[in-house]
Amino acid sequence: HDSPFEDDEDIIISFIVNGNKGDQGYTGFQGFTGFQGFTGYQGFQGVAGDFGGATFDYTFKSGTTMSNTDISMVILNNTTQKSSTNMYVYQNDDNGNSIDSFMQTVDSVSSVIKGFVRLSNKGDSGQFLLFQVTDISKNTDDYWTIDITNQAFSEDSPFQADEDVLVSFVTN
């Protein structure tokens, strides 16, 4: 055996005892507050909303009279559109949805002013006519006659034949 000691040799063994554990040190100072970050960019403006109320998709007809062949059409009774006193609206919109139930609700309003109707370009809400509604009646030829008085307009006659329009109603 390779040992640094010889048999029967006297050796001294020493042990080192560690001291008691010391107290916990002090807590350090709080660091400085960082700089505030940059303000983010402003978001894009949202798309303009519609007039509100019940809105239906129609096609504008440039004539001044309505017949039962004018399916999904809306017509005004004056070539100077803002001066119209009647609006004719077919009973089904461009999507084939019946508006009869809604129109009966408007007709049931007992106020002298039953509500308002806004006719606007489907792609440009800034092109519009706004009318007060005083009476509504269903014709035997599948369309409604609405008695109207102009309240506001973007121009005297903003709509062209076959223009895609929205007809929006708000009741009183």
Side-chain angles (χ1 to χ4, degrees):
H1 304 258
D2 292 337
S3 169
F5 306 109
E6 306 250 345
D7 287 338
D8 295 327
E9 186 176 341
D10 286 333
I11 59 171
I12 298 174
I13 300 176
S14 300
F15 295 96
I16 298 173
V17 177
N18 287 336
N20 293 333
K21 184 177 178 182
D23 294 330
Q24 180 173 342
Y26 296 108
T27 301
F29 297 109
Q30 180 174 341
F32 297 108
T33 300
F35 297 107
Q36 180 173 339
F38 297 108
T39 300
Y41 296 107
Q42 180 174 343
F44 298 106
Q45 180 172 342
V47 178
D50 290 327
F51 175 66
T55 299
F56 305 98
D57 188 2
Y58 275 88
T59 302
F60 185 79
K61 181 179 175 186
S62 61
T64 57
T65 59
M66 182 80 149
S67 71
N68 61 352
T69 59
D70 294 321
I71 296 171
S72 75
M73 295 286 183
V74 60
I75 298 170
L76 296 169
N77 72 334
N78 194 314
T79 55
T80 304
Q81 297 164 5
K82 73 169 188 164
S83 300
S84 297
T85 56
N86 289 111
M87 177 184 287
Y88 308 108
V89 181
Y90 191 73
Q91 68 183 355
N92 296 330
D93 67 10
D94 280 348
N95 299 311
N97 300 313
S98 173
I99 65 164
D100 283 350
S101 177
F102 178 78
M103 297 302 277
Q104 289 165 357
T105 300
V106 175
D107 188 34
S108 71
V109 172
S110 59
S111 302
V112 174
I113 299 169
K114 293 184 176 287
F116 297 89
V117 60
R118 186 176 196 265
L119 185 61
S120 61
N121 178 299
K122 187 174 181 181
D124 178 7
S125 62
Q127 180 186 347
F128 73 95
L129 295 168
L130 177 65
F131 297 100
Q132 175 181 291
V133 176
T134 55
D135 197 19
I136 294 180
S137 59
K138 177 81 182 264
N139 298 299
T140 57
D141 292 332
D142 300 329
Y143 64 92
W144 291 85
T145 298
I146 306 168
D147 294 352
I148 54 175
T149 304
N150 187 269
Q151 301 296 301
F153 55 91
S154 61
E155 55 186 274
D156 290 352
S157 296
F159 304 109
Q160 304 300 316
D162 299 322
E163 194 167 327
D164 200 7
V165 295
L166 297 175
V167 181
S168 303
F169 294 91
V170 176
T171 61
N172 270 351

